[in-house]
Amino acid sequence: MILSNYSTGDGLENRLLLSLSTITGEKFRYIKTIKDGIWLCYTDSSKWILKEFFSEEKLFNQIHFVEQLFKHDFYFTYQFHPIHQEKIIKFDQRVFALVEYLKKGSTFTYQTFSERTSALKLLKQFHETTSQFRDIFKPNLTVFDQQMKWEQRLKEFIANIPLLINFIPTYYLNKYVDWAKWALSQMERNKSFYNEGPNCIIHGDVAHHNFLLNRYQQLYIIDFDLIQLANPMIDYLQFANRVLPNISWSLTRLRRHQLLSPYLEMKEFLIALIFPTDILREWNRYVRLTLTKKEEGSKPQLLTYLKEITLNHFNMRRIFTEELAKSI
């Protein structure tokens, strides 16, 4: 039985089911869309996540990467379906893979000190593991460039200002641009710090939704689309940026995390915390979704969230930014 409620106009899900059954030799019964490019697939006895990949090369890199994690005794993530030892799933010039379905336990967030500490410990173990096999991936992974990424993000944000003034008063837009430009100018003066290494493979997207508690409350890390060669500091910088809104932009509370505290004594790390990466990232994403007329871009809750972090958090962020600037 196929759940036709989840079928797209061109019958993609139905064709995926047939392809999965043919390639794996298992009977895939139905499929449910989770979001663009990701489906939950059911056989008679198991569930799998089907994910679309940008290219065969990207998929091969991730299959190999996960194999190396397990080979080096890091078991806190998913595995790929055994079929991928022999072949990939490809049709309509698109590339897919089946990954292990991890049954979720309680919801994981960055709201509590305990959750943030658990994520940092797992991230540290992840970096220690990937440092053991980083050289294998040097031909296939790029070296991460934090400054270049943020320069591109700022350039896109500035280009979007004619649209953003419909949602954000000009004063706020100018302040975020000023903070971003100041941080980038200081990063340019301390460039060697951000390019130190690379001595591991970073995750590259340490948002809370890429950590998952299973039914036994064991924490896993998932989604390796953005892995690159870099210093682990890059992941910790992103982690700090991600959790600051959860702790009211308090540097004191951030310092309570022992794994972060050494970095918070480095002026270069503090400079980078001033860059408003979340504001630029989320508004750029919103504009892209709106311009491509994707359904997600029209959701009122998304716009409400963006205004919350942009306007309601502004004074806390301003105090935090001024405090950092004085200490540097």
Side-chain angles (χ1 to χ4, degrees), residues 79-262:
Q79 296 190 75
F80 283 84
H81 191 285
I83 194 64
H84 295 299
Q85 296 293 327
E86 306 170 11
K87 61 184 75 173
I88 61 173
I89 300 166
K90 185 177 180 181
F91 68 96
D92 289 355
Q93 305 303 311
R94 297 164 71 177
V95 178
F96 302 85
L98 287 166
V99 299
E100 180 183 3
Y101 171 76
L102 299 172
K103 186 174 178 61
K104 290 184 180 180
S106 56
T107 301
F108 183 83
T109 71
Y110 284 155
Q111 294 289 337
T112 69
F113 179 83
S114 175
E115 287 173 310
R116 296 190 296 270
T117 299
S118 296
L120 281 169
K121 287 180 178 178
L122 184 59
L123 197 55
K124 181 175 185 290
Q125 186 177 353
F126 176 82
H127 292 147
E128 289 173 344
T129 303
T130 65
S131 69
Q132 298 176 54
F133 58 80
R134 70 179 187 275
D135 290 346
I136 299 174
F137 286 86
K138 281 185 177 179
N140 301 314
L141 293 179
T142 57
V143 176
F144 183 78
D145 188 329
Q146 183 68 81
Q147 186 169 357
M148 183 179 71
K149 180 175 181 177
W150 280 354
E151 286 172 349
Q152 292 171 347
R153 184 166 289 173
L154 176 59
K155 183 178 180 181
E156 182 180 358
F157 185 80
I158 292 173
N160 287 333
I161 285 179
L163 293 172
L164 297 179
I165 57 175
N166 294 309
F167 308 103
I168 313 170
T170 304
Y171 168 79
Y172 296 96
L173 288 171
N174 290 339
K175 288 299 291 185
Y176 285 117
V177 169
D178 287 345
W179 289 337
K181 287 182 175 179
W182 183 88
L184 286 172
S185 69
Q186 295 299 311
M187 289 172 69
E188 178 64 29
R189 295 179 185 179
N190 299 276
K191 205 164 188 176
S192 61
F193 174 82
Y194 306 100
N195 296 328
E196 185 179 340
N199 49 20
C200 76
I201 299 171
I202 61 166
H203 183 275
D205 188 9
V206 292
H208 70 87
H209 56 254
N210 284 329
F211 291 89
L212 182 149
L213 282 168
N214 70 6
R215 52 184 162 175
Y216 306 110
Q217 300 304 296
Q218 173 64 58
L219 190 62
Y220 284 68
I221 189 167
I222 60 174
D223 193 350
F224 304 115
D225 289 346
L226 299 181
I227 55 172
Q228 286 183 277
L229 297 163
N231 189 292
M233 176 272 299
I234 297 297
D235 270 347
Y236 292 127
L237 174 60
Q238 188 185 108
F239 181 90
N241 279 314
R242 292 278 187 175
V243 305
L244 277 165
N246 297 110
I247 57 175
S248 302
W249 294 89
S250 170
L251 190 58
T252 299
R253 292 176 65 183
L254 197 60
R255 283 196 169 108
R256 291 174 187 164
H257 292 288
Q258 292 184 359
L259 288 175
L260 286 181
S261 57

Side-chain angles (χ1 to χ4, degrees), residues 34-86:
I34 298 176
K35 60 181 181 180
D36 280 352
I38 299 180
W39 298 262
L40 177 59
C41 305
Y42 297 77
T43 70
D44 289 331
S45 58
S46 63
K47 299 178 185 177
W48 292 91
I49 296 294
L50 180 70
K51 181 174 179 178
E52 183 173 1
F53 285 79
F54 181 75
S55 67
E56 292 184 38
E57 181 183 8
K58 293 282 188 182
L59 173 55
F60 287 139
N61 272 345
Q62 287 199 38
I63 292 172
H64 189 199
F65 179 74
V66 170
E67 286 175 349
Q68 288 297 319
L69 286 175
F70 277 82
K71 183 178 178 180
H72 288 81
D73 301 323
F74 185 94
Y75 305 113
F76 308 110
T77 190
Y78 50 67
Q79 296 190 75
F80 283 84
H81 191 285
I83 194 64
H84 295 299
Q85 296 293 327
E86 306 170 11

